[in-house]
C-alpha cells in the first residue's frame, strides 16, 4: 500500500509548472518519433520505409520478425529485386522477389511477376482473381537493408495488446514521476 | 551515465527515518531516479553498441571486392511451342558452372542466384525471364556446376521467340546477416533459339 500511496502523493504534490513541463516533454517524445518516421518517408520515398516480415515465404533469407528497410526510387524494376507490393483486395503488403519483367518499348510500363524464395510456385495465386502481372502502382518499395529479430517487438505488441498497454503505462508513469 | 555524487552519498535526502523502530523509508521519486536512470543508461548503451557493430559489419562488406566467374552452356532445346493463348514457350537444358566463393564475407548469410534470359521484342524494350534459381548457404558450396532444365517456364509475352537472340545473365543477390544487401550480374550473350517450333 505504501508504495502506491507514495506514488499518488508524489503525483499530487506536483506543481502546475512541473505538470506542464512534463506534458511538454511527453509531447516532445511523441512528436520527435513522428518527425523521424515522416523524415524517413521523405528520404526513402516509400510510404512505409520500414516493414516487418510476417511470413516465412522468403526463408531462409528473411524470417518472421526480421526488419526490412525499403527504398522507392524512380529506377526501373528489374528481376531479382525484392519488392513490397500491395494486391487489390488484400490489406497486408507482401515482400517477394521479382522473377519476370516485361518492360514496354514506348511507355516504359512494366509487367512484373513475383515469387517467394521459399514458395514452390509463383505468386499468381496470391494476386487478385484473374490478375497475371503486377504493375508499377502495386509496388510500394524495394528492400535495400535488413535487420534481424528487431521486428519481434511489434509482432508481440500487435498479438498481445496487453503488453503494449503495460509498456505504454510504465513509460508514461516514468515520464510523469521523473523530476528532471 | 554515472551516478551523481549527490545520490551516492548516504547522508542525502534519499533516506528518511520516521521513527527508530521503522525501517528506513525510501523516498520514491529519488529511488526511481537512480534505478530508472541506470536501467535506461544500460539499455541505451547496449543498444548503441549493438547498432554500431551492425553498422560496422554492414560497412565492412564494401571492403570486399568479389571476382565471381560463371559459364552457362545451352545443351539442348527440349521443346519449343506456341501456347493456345499465343505465347511462345521453350524448354532448355543448361549447364551452369560458377565460382562465387569471393562473395562470401563474415556478414554474408546466403547468396541467392538466378539465371535469367534477357531479350528485346517489338513490344517490350526489355524482357527478363528467370529460368533457374538457387540459394548458396555457405562459402563451401559456392563453387559448383549443375546440369538442369529450366525450373520456370521460359515464356514470352507474345510470339517473338523464333530465331530470337538472347542473353543469359547470372544474377546474384547477397543477403547479409545484417545491413545492406548487394546485387550484381554477369551477362553472357550470343544465344539463339531455333527458327522453327519443335
Amino acid at each position: 500500500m505504501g508504495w502506491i500511496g507514495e506514488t499518488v502523493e508524489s503525483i499530487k504534490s506536483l506543481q502546475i509548472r512541473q505538470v506542464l513541463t512534463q506534458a511538454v516533454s511527453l509531447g516532445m517524445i511523441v512528436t520527435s518519433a513522428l518527425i523521424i518516421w515522416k523524415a524517413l518517408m521523405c528520404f526513402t520515398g516509400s510510404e512505409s520505409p520500414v516493414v516487418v516480415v510476417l511470413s516465412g515465404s522468403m526463408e531462409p533469407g528473411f524470417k518472421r520478425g526480421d526488419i526490412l528497410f525499403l527504398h522507392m526510387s524512380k529506377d526501373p524494376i528489374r528481376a531479382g529485386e525484392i519488392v513490397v507490393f500491395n494486391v487489390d483486395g488484400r490489406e497486408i503488403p507482401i515482400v517477394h522477389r521479382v522473377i519476370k519483367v516485361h518492360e514496354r518499348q514506348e511507355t516504359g510500363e512494366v509487367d512484373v511477376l513475383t515469387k517467394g524464395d521459399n514458395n514452390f510456385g509463383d505468386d499468381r495465386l496470391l494476386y487478385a482473381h484473374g490478375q497475371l502481372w503486377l504493375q508499377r502502382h502495386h509496388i510500394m518499395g524495394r528492400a535495400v537493408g535488413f535487420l534481424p529479430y528487431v521486428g519481434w517487438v511489434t509482432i508481440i505488441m500487435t498479438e498481445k495488446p496487453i503488453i503494449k498497454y503495460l509498456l505504454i503505462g510504465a513509460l508514461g508513469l516514468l515520464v510523469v514521476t521523473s523530476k528532471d | 551515465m554515472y551516478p551523481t555524487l549527490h545520490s551516492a552519498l548516504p547522508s542525502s535526502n534519499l533516506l528518511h527515518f520516521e521513527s527508530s523502530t521503522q525501517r528506513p523509508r525510501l523516498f520514491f521519486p529519488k529511488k526511481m531516479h537512480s534505478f530508472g536512470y541506470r536501467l535506461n543508461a544500460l539499455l541505451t548503451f547496449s543498444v548503441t553498441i549493438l547498432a554500431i557493430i551492425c553498422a560496422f559489419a554492414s560497412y565492412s562488406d564494401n571492403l570486399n571486392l568479389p571476382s565471381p566467374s560463371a559459364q552457362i552452356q545451352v545443351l539442348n532445346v527440349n521443346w519449343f511451342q506456341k501456347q493456345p493463348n499465343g505465347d511462345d514457350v521453350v524448354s532448355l537444358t543448361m549447364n551452369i558452372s560458377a565460382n562465387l566463393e569471393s562473395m562470401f564475407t563474415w556478414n554474408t548469410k546466403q547468396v541467392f542466384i538466378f539465371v535469367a534470359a534477357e531479350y528485346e521484342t517489338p513490344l517490350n524494350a526489355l524482357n527478363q525471364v528467370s529460368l533457374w534459381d538457387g540459394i548458396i548457404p555457405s562459402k563451401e558450396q559456392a563453387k559448383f556446376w549443375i546440369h538442369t532444365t529450366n525450373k520456370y517456364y521460359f515464356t514470352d509475352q507474345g510470339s517473338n521467340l523464333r530465331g530470337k537472340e538472347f542473353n543469359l545473365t547470372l544474377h546474384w543477390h547477397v543477403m547479409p546477416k545484417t545491413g545492406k544487401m548487394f546485387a550484381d550480374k554477369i551477362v553472357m550473350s550470343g544465344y539463339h533459339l531455333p527458327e522453327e517450333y519443335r
Side-chain angles (χ1 to χ4, degrees), chain A residues 72-129:
Chain A
M72 190 68 203
S73 61
K74 289 272 182 289
D75 297 342
I77 291 154
R78 290 289 174 261
E81 289 171 346
I82 296 168
V83 294
V84 178
F85 59 92
N86 259 318
V87 175
D88 309 323
R90 264 178 187 269
E91 272 182 31
I92 300 170
I94 303 172
V95 186
H96 278 175
R97 191 185 298 276
V98 174
I99 63 164
K100 285 184 187 183
V101 172
H102 295 285
E103 191 176 81
R104 297 282 174 277
Q105 287 278 11
E106 257 123 66
T107 56
E109 284 170 22
V110 279
D111 281 344
V112 165
L113 181 65
T114 54
K115 174 183 172 290
D117 288 357
N118 196 31
N119 290 354
F120 185 73
D122 61 43
D123 285 349
R124 288 207 170 124
L125 288 173
L126 300 174
Y127 297 168
H129 187 70

Side-chain angles (χ1 to χ4, degrees), chain A residues 125-154:
Chain A
L125 288 173
L126 300 174
Y127 297 168
H129 187 70
Q131 184 181 3
L132 292 179
W133 305 97
L134 292 179
Q135 267 82 41
R136 183 86 200 194
H137 67 266
H138 292 114
I139 290 166
M140 294 163 59
R142 68 194 89 197
V144 289
F146 170 83
L147 204 59
Y149 306 120
V150 182
W152 274 112
V153 179
T154 62

Side-chain angles (χ1 to χ4, degrees), chain B residues 2 15 30 43-44 48 55 66 77 79 89 94 116 120 124 136 144 150 159 161-162 168 175 183 185:
Chain B
Y2 298 99
L15 303 174
K30 277 293 169 197
L43 221 70
T44 314
T48 312
V77 177
W79 44 266
V89 58
M94 295 172 290
E120 192 186 340
N124 295 325
I136 306 176
F144 67 94
N150 48 320
S159 165
L161 289 184
R162 276 168 296 173
L168 283 177
M175 295 161 95
K185 61 182 176 181

Side-chain angles (χ1 to χ4, degrees), chain B residues 108-172:
Chain B
T108 306
K109 181 198 270 176
Q110 62 169 30
V111 175
F112 181 90
I113 52 167
F114 66 99
V115 172
E118 298 184 351
Y119 58 94
E120 192 186 340
T121 58
L123 175 68
N124 295 325
L126 176 71
N127 299 277
Q128 288 183 307
V129 180
S130 182
L131 302 181
W132 174 88
D133 61 21
I135 290 170
I136 306 176
S138 70
K139 191 172 186 171
E140 287 69 43
Q141 286 150 282
K143 194 176 176 182
F144 67 94
W145 71 270
I146 182 169
H147 185 86
T148 179
T149 60
N150 48 320
K151 192 165 154 185
Y152 309 114
Y153 286 120
F154 184 176
T155 317
D156 184 35
Q157 271 194 335
S159 165
N160 312 294
L161 289 184
R162 276 168 296 173
K164 176 60 75 183
E165 184 181 345
F166 64 100
N167 293 339
L168 283 177
T169 52
L170 180 82
H171 294 252
W172 58 87

